[in-house]
Amino acid sequence: MNEQRQTFVDWLAQRLHSMGTRYLFGVPGGGCSLDLIDATARHKIELVLTAREDAAVIMAGVYGLLASAPGLALCTKGPGLASAANGIASASLDRMSVLLVAETFGPGELNYLSHQVYDQSALVRPLLQNGQYDILAPDYEELDAWLSGLSGPTRQPAVMFPTADAFRSLNNKKVKSSVKTSTIELIETKELVVACEMINTSANPVVILGLEAATATLAPEVRKFVETLKAPVLSTYMAAGTIPASHPNYAGIFTGGAIEQRCVNEADLIILIGLDPVELIRKPWAYKAPVIDLCETKHVPHYLVPNVQLCAPLESSLNILTAKLDPFSSKSSWTNDKIKDHREGFYKGLEISLESGLSSTDVVKIAATIFEGKPRLSVDAGAHMFSACAFWPSQEPHDILISNGLATMGFAFPAALAAALYDPIRGSLAMTGDGGLLMCLGELNTAAKLKANICIIVFNDGCLSLIDIKREERQMPDLGLSWDRPDFAAVAKGFGFKSWKAESIDEFTMACVKAKKQFGPCLIDVKIDPSGYLEQMKSLRG
């Protein structure tokens, strides 16, 4: 192929491959989708044909998050884009970089068409910060800069609406990549001086980690800062593993709820590192201690107005502050024993004890022990997520994948598929409720076709448990939120999965032992007793 006369779609595929994109996820239409599939195949980007468009965008977002590259998805016009909308919302609020290429109508077609027609731009516009690009005549320099923004620190989705003619148009010039190495450094500012003084005179600082800090590059800097400060650390769900769960400074999870208040109420200074307000529950900020906010993005609205905010690359902020910490003048009264007491109180508060049957904490603890915490875990929205995020022994960033910004059901299984593609040897473990799995059952076919190294654990309690416990808390009558428990093991077996059913600790333990030996798709259908969920949620959230 003549490099000087390549088509636009070939340029796009080549550009995305150079940025680290390796998979294209989606359900194609019959227009420019086919051109994109053809071009990406030539540039070693593999198509993953999914059952649904929303799952495709979630897979693309998670793969991009793990690969530090733009995720790539496609869909057709009309129903395809409408189906993809929940995935776009997830990418937006869960801070994942995705480029969705959506088919659109050609020039003049809307003069006579009404079939599948609605305002596609209006549908996605509220979900996008990086915007959309309607392509009739490609401006390569502008597009290249736009694509480069997808891999920036804000991690947001974008939608491209190309026509088939635009995809096939010829590019007559070479385009230099607009990717630039960041040289931004945190300079000596008044805020920095004040932050250093506040830290060095603090007696009981507490650190709260958020999603911006959850990268492999930043994790060592975070740990160095925390160890120098000798402070307890709490992390949001999405920052799990940035400080390992086994670390002596780890004190538990922070959601903005009740269970962490015993620890944070002892603080005379709260240091936020990369906390995104999208991660917290719908309760006001509960603390009066002064706050230092280290962030890379300013968010409005926020739960609080910090006393000092350093908005700069976190690596720079942490390096400077760590170097300026004064261990000799520090009055910190924290000890490992005190932090351990808070950590053990956190675990005890979320433990579910049943006289018989299987609880969600039983399932997570047994799976963590047998799988040794090695597969990457993805977690769905639902009551089971409290146990999953608390008791899974995360050691590195993104050891747990969760939709915490949108908190959408149907996330765990597609996320686990993407994680298994990213790291087939490590594999992935999806913990999902029965309601969440019902939303994306079609992806069992995707996993089987890919022979993905994935194990799905279904918390089968026959109910929308998280919603039902809120009904129970409000002392409302039965509102029909339950159903007969499906036989997910039989369904999965029909797709070629290895599968097991478990109704006791012994049966579940044996199923995990067998699943661990498998390399390929498997599923464990676990009958869960949901009776402990209400007290667990009260302990966590208040």
Side-chain angles (χ1 to χ4, degrees):
M1 182 177 60
N2 186 340
E3 190 174 69
Q4 295 286 49
R5 296 286 294 171
Q6 67 180 172
T7 62
F8 166 64
V9 72
D10 272 298
W11 171 84
L12 178 65
Q14 186 179 57
R15 181 72 183 90
L16 288 168
H17 186 274
S18 73
M19 297 173 75
T21 305
R22 295 295 180 268
Y23 289 94
L24 167 63
F25 302 87
V27 184
C32 67
S33 291
L34 300 180
D35 297 288
L36 180 63
I37 294 168
D38 183 46
T40 50
R42 286 195 295 274
H43 293 280
K44 299 181 180 180
I45 296 176
E46 181 181 344
L47 173 68
V48 175
L49 188 63
T50 63
R52 287 185 57 85
E53 294 85 353
D54 51 354
V57 180
I58 289 170
M59 291 181 207
V62 170
Y63 188 89
L65 179 69
L66 297 176
S68 298
L72 180 61
L74 62 78
C75 68
T76 190
K77 63 179 78 66
L81 184 64
S83 177
N86 189 61
I88 302 169
S90 172
S92 177
L93 293 177
D94 295 322
R95 312 311 190 205
M96 299 187 295
S97 296
V98 181
L99 172 61
L100 174 64
V101 178
E103 293 188 353
T104 190
F105 296 95
E109 285 188 292
L110 295 182
N111 294 334
Y112 59 90
L113 279 178
S114 56
H115 176 65
Q116 295 187 330
V117 173
Y118 58 84
D119 191 338
Q120 298 195 138
S121 295
L123 176 70
V124 300
R125 190 177 299 118
L127 305 176
L128 304 173
Q129 289 185 21
N130 197 54
Q132 61 190 51
Y133 209 108
D134 300 298
I135 300 176
L136 295 175
D139 182 326
Y140 289 88
E141 299 291 351
E142 183 179 289
L143 269 168
D144 189 67
W146 185 71
L147 289 171
S148 298
L150 292 178
S151 57
T154 54
R155 296 199 312 225
Q156 284 289 317
V159 177
M160 179 183 287
F161 290 111
T163 64
D165 287 342
F167 255 5
R168 297 173 193 142
S169 65
L170 293 174
N171 173 24
N172 295 313
K173 63 178 181 177
K174 292 183 178 180
V175 181
K176 294 182 180 179
S177 170
S178 61
V179 174
K180 298 179 181 179
T181 303
S182 175
T183 57
I184 301 173
E185 296 293 339
L186 186 68
I187 60 172
E188 296 283 347
T189 64
K190 179 181 178 182
E191 289 78 11
L192 177 60
V193 173
V194 173
C196 291
E197 183 179 354
M198 291 172 68
I199 293 172
N200 282 325
T201 57
S202 170
N204 292 292
V206 167
V207 175
I208 299 172
L209 300 179
L211 65 86
E212 285 186 341
T215 70
T217 302
L218 282 172
E221 305 302 327
V222 172
R223 294 172 197 177
K224 184 178 178 182
F225 175 77
V226 166
E227 288 164 359
T228 304
L229 192 62
K230 298 179 180 178
V233 181
L234 300 109
S235 76
T236 63
Y237 293 147
M238 297 177 81
T242 307
I243 288 291
S246 58
H247 196 284
N249 291 72
Y250 179 70
I253 287 171
F254 187 90
T255 67
I259 200 165
E260 65 261 25
Q261 289 184 9
R262 178 170 164 258
C263 178
V264 183
N265 276 333
E266 291 190 28
D268 61 359
L269 176 65
I270 300 170
I271 304 171
L272 309 180
I273 303 180
L275 179 71
D276 189 320
V278 80
E279 302 182 83
L280 305 184
I281 63 174
R282 294 163 53 191
K283 288 195 172 185
W285 188 254
Y287 307 104
K288 296 181 179 179
V291 175
I292 297 174
D293 182 19
L294 310 182
C295 62
E296 295 192 350
T297 305
K298 292 184 179 181
H299 296 283
V300 178
H302 204 298
Y303 286 77
L304 58 98
V305 177
N307 298 75
V308 177
Q309 185 177 66
L310 300 179
C311 189
L314 286 176
E315 187 172 7
S316 298
S317 301
L318 290 167
N319 282 337
I320 292 175
L321 289 175
T322 302
K324 291 181 176 294
L325 287 180
D326 184 355
F328 300 104
S329 65
S330 175
K331 300 175 182 177
S332 177
S333 63
W334 289 113
T335 64
N336 284 348
D337 285 342
K338 277 188 177 183
I339 298 172
K340 181 181 178 181
D341 178 63
H342 284 299
R343 181 170 62 248
E344 290 179 347
F346 164 76
Y347 287 130
K348 184 177 180 181
L350 291 185
E351 186 80 44
I352 296 177
S353 297
L354 302 175
E355 292 184 4
S356 62
L358 271 167
S359 73
S360 60
T361 56
D362 292 330
V363 170
V364 178
K365 284 182 168 184
I366 291 168
T369 299
I370 293 174
F371 287 96
E372 302 174 289
K374 289 182 179 178
R376 187 174 269 109
L377 177 68
S378 62
V379 183
D380 221 60
H384 67 282
M385 72 180 180
F386 303 145
S387 295
C389 292
F391 294 104
W392 188 259
S394 305
Q395 300 300 307
E396 299 289 342
H398 306 313
D399 275 359
I400 292 179
L401 301 165
I402 185 171
S403 172
N404 198 35
L406 183 63
T408 180
M409 292 172 66
F411 175 88
F413 183 15
L417 268 172
L421 287 173
Y422 174 73
D423 193 344
I425 301 302
R426 182 178 182 184
S428 61
L429 190 67
M431 291 188 176
T432 178
D434 44 358
L437 185 58
L438 285 169
M439 290 181 175
C440 51
L441 270 181
E443 304 310 336
L444 291 172
N445 185 58
T446 310
K449 181 180 177 181
L450 293 169
K451 297 181 173 60
N453 188 21
I454 179 175
C455 179
I456 304 169
I457 297 178
V458 190
F459 291 68
N460 194 348
D461 54 27
C463 186
L464 288 174
S465 293
L466 185 56
I467 309 305
D468 201 48
I469 60 177
K470 293 176 181 178
R471 174 201 61 80
E472 184 182 353
E473 189 177 29
R474 293 175 61 183
Q475 299 181 336
M476 298 175 74
D478 184 355
L479 298 176
L481 303 178
S482 60
W483 50 77
D484 293 337
R485 303 187 199 215
D487 189 341
F488 289 108
V491 174
K493 187 177 180 180
F495 282 97
F497 278 54
K498 297 287 186 182
S499 63
W500 302 269
K501 295 179 73 172
E503 297 188 12
S504 67
I505 286 177
D506 288 344
E507 288 178 350
F508 181 66
T509 300
M510 184 57 65
C512 286
V513 169
K514 292 178 179 179
K516 183 184 176 183
K517 296 176 182 178
Q518 298 294 320
F519 189 97
C522 55
L523 179 145
I524 306 174
D525 184 350
V526 192
K527 184 177 180 180
I528 295 291
D529 182 340
S531 60
Y533 281 145
L534 178 57
E535 290 306 312
Q536 187 187 44
M537 187 182 75
K538 286 181 177 179
S539 178
L540 179 70
R541 295 184 172 180

